Amino acid sequence: QCLFRTDEHMLAFAEKVFASETKGEGVRDEISMFEVQDDCPILQQEMAHHLHTDEDTEKRKKRQQKCRTITLPSSMSDQARKVLAPVADVLFNIPTYLEVPDFQRVAIIGDYASGVTMDDFELSCKGVYRALTIREKYMRLAFQRFPLTTSQYLREIEGEPFKPEHTVQPVFTSPPKKGEDPFNTKCLPENLSWVARMKDGVIYTYKDAAAADQHKPIENMPAPDYMTFIDDMNFLIALIAQGPIKTYAHRRLKFLMSKFNVHEMLNEMEEMKELKLNPHRDFYNCRKVDTHIHAAACMNQKHLLRFIKKSYQVDADRVVQNVKGKDVTMKELFANLNLHPYDLTVDSLDVHAGRQTFQRFDKFNAKYNPVGASELRDLYMKTENHIDGEYFARIIKEVASDLEDARYQYAEPRLSIYGCNPNEWTKLSSWFNKHRVFSPQLKWMIQVPRIYDIFRGKNFVPHFGKMLENIFLPVFQATIEPHANPELSIFLKHVTGFDSVDDESKHSGHMFCTKSPKPEEWNIVKNPSYSYYIYYMYANITMINQLRKARGMNTFQFRPHCGEAGAVTHLLASFMTADNISHGLNLKKSPVLQYLYFLTQIPIAMSPLSNNSLFLEYAKNPLLEFLKKGLMVSLSTDDPMQFHYTRVSLYIVIGQCYLGSLGLRCP
C-alpha cells in the first residue's frame, strides 16, 4: 500500500495543470507550472493564506522539535558516527542568540574552501588584514567610525584583548530639549589663549605665539604623517591590482550575494508576515534620513515655482538687487528678464535634469538657474545677496516644516564654503543665526567644491594653501575662542561634517606622491588631484576633531562625494580617510575595494535618480547588487529640485523599483 496519499484538493489542481498543458504548445495561462504570473490569483490566495494563518508555524515548530531529538541509528558504524556527529552539532546545537523563530538558516559545513590556492589564500588574507588596520588607524586618529565586529577580529588576529572603551566614535550635538533655545550662547566653553597656524597645508594648535614660531604644537593632538600616508596608499594601490586577491574577493562577493538570494527565497514570506504583525510600524513611519541632499536644491520644482509667484505677489516693489549702484526691484528684475511669474510653469522653470545632462556636468550645474537666469539663482538660492539670503532661508524653513509634518523624515542639507575668502564662515553663520534656520529635522553639512583652478585663475588666492586656510582656520579660531565668534560657534554645533564636491570625471594629470608640492608651494593655475584634496581635507578635519574633542565640543565627519565617476583610486583615498561616502558607483569596477568596503561597513549614500541624469542608467545601477552583497547602502535624493516635480519623494518610488520587497526597503 502507498503510505502517502494525495488529497482530493491536490488531485483537482493537478488535473487542471495537466489539462492546461494539453491545450497546445503555444498556450500559456496563469496556472502554468513553469511561468507563474505575478497577478496569478492562486499565488495571491496562497500568499494571503500564509500571512494570516499560524498552522504552518506550528507544524514547523513540531518538526524542528523532532529534529532536535533525533538520534543516530545504533547500527551505524563508528566511522560514520564520527563523520555525522559534527553535522548534527551544526544543525541542532545552535546557540540561543542565533535562534530566530520561524526563519530558515543555511549551514555550510565541511572544510573551508576559498576557491583559490592556499598560497593565494594566505597572500589575500595578509593583504586584507593590513588594509583593515590601515583604515582603523586613520579612523581612530580622526574620531570617525570603525565597526566593532571587524575590530574584534583584528584584535583576535593580533592576540590582544578587545576593549570596547578603546573604540572611538564621533561626537554629535544632542537636539535641544523642549523650551531650550538652540541659539543660546551661554553654554559655550570659555575662551583660551591658544594659537592656530598652518604649516605644510595642515593647521596645528599651539599654546602661544612663541610655541607656534618654534612649531611646538600641543601634545596629544597628533597629525597624520604625510610619508606614512603615501606609503599606505601605495600599498593599497598595489593590493587592488593583484590577481589572486581580485579572484578571492570576487568569489567571496559572489558567495555573499548567493547567500542573500537563498535567504530571500526561503524567508521572504515569513519576513512579510513579521512586518505585518509589527504594530505601529511600517515603511512610512520608520525613520528615514536623507544624508545626501544639497541645500540649494532641497525643494521640489512645484515648491520653488509656488514660492517665486508668492514672493512676487507680496514683494514686487521690494529692492532685491543693486546693479552698478542702482537699486533694482523685483518687478524690474523680472521685466529685465522678459518674464512674468504668472506665466511660469514647472516646464518653463527648466530646472529638471533629463537626458540632455548625461555626461555633461556643466549642463547639470546650469539647471540650478531657474529659467536659465543666474539672477534668480542669486535671489532665491544664495545665502549672500542684497536681501541677506532671506528667501533662501524661508524656502529651507518651509522644507523643514514639511519634514516636521511628516514626523519621521530627516535631512542633512549641504551648504557651500569655497575657500576664496576668509569671511565666508562669518557670513554663512550670520545668515543661519539671523534667520534662525533651525529645525529638529535638520543637521547641516559643509561642502567644499574642488575649484581651486578657477580661484587661482582669477587671483582670488595666491596658492592652494591659502584656500585651505580660508576653509579651516575660522573653525579653529571659533573652537579656541567661541565667545569671540558666537554666531559661528552656534552654527558649528549643528554641523555634522564636511563634503568634497565637483565633477570627478575631470582628470587633473597630477599624481599624489612624495614629490607632490606642499599646498603653500602649489601656486600654478591647475587643479590638484582628487587624492591631494582628500588628504589635506582629512588632515585638517583630524586636527579640528582632536581640538574640539578636547574642548568637549561636537566633532565632524569627512563624507566626500566619491566613486560617481573618475578613477577607482578616488575610492581608495576615501577608504583611508572618509567616515562614509556618497555615490560609490565605481566600486563595481574593483572587487577588492568592494570587499574592503563590505568588511569595514562604510556607509554609501546612493542616488539612482541623480546618476541616471549624469553617469549611469537605472538598469545599470549597482544599488541592489551592493545591498545583496552586504554593503551598507542607503537611498538619498541628492537634488530634489532637479528630479522631483511634487512633494512626493521620488526616492521612495525608486526604492520600490529597486527594492521590490518591503523587507528590503525598510532597512
Side-chain angles (χ1 to χ4, degrees), residues 418-459:
Y418 297 93
C420 65
N421 191 305
N423 296 323
E424 290 178 34
W425 280 104
T426 303
K427 294 176 180 178
L428 181 60
S429 59
S430 175
W431 168 83
F432 178 80
N433 284 267
K434 177 181 179 180
H435 300 293
R436 300 181 71 84
V437 193
F438 171 82
S439 169
Q441 311 299 112
L442 299 180
K443 288 287 187 178
W444 299 88
M445 288 278 296
I446 299 299
Q447 63 179 20
V448 180
R450 297 186 298 275
I451 51 176
Y452 159 78
D453 52 339
I454 295 176
F455 297 150
R456 184 68 189 94
K458 296 182 179 180
N459 285 322

Side-chain angles (χ1 to χ4, degrees), residues 484-525:
N485 305 273
E487 290 188 333
L488 179 53
S489 299
I490 290 296
F491 175 59
L492 291 175
K493 288 176 62 178
H494 305 287
V495 173
T496 57
F498 286 81
D499 188 1
S500 177
V501 299
D502 198 27
D503 181 6
E504 286 187 71
S505 63
K506 292 192 300 186
H507 183 63
S508 70
H510 164 254
M511 180 180 176
F512 184 42
C513 61
T514 55
K515 297 181 181 180
S516 297
K518 302 298 182 187
E520 293 89 342
E521 299 168 353
W522 193 291
N523 56 8
I524 57 176
V525 186

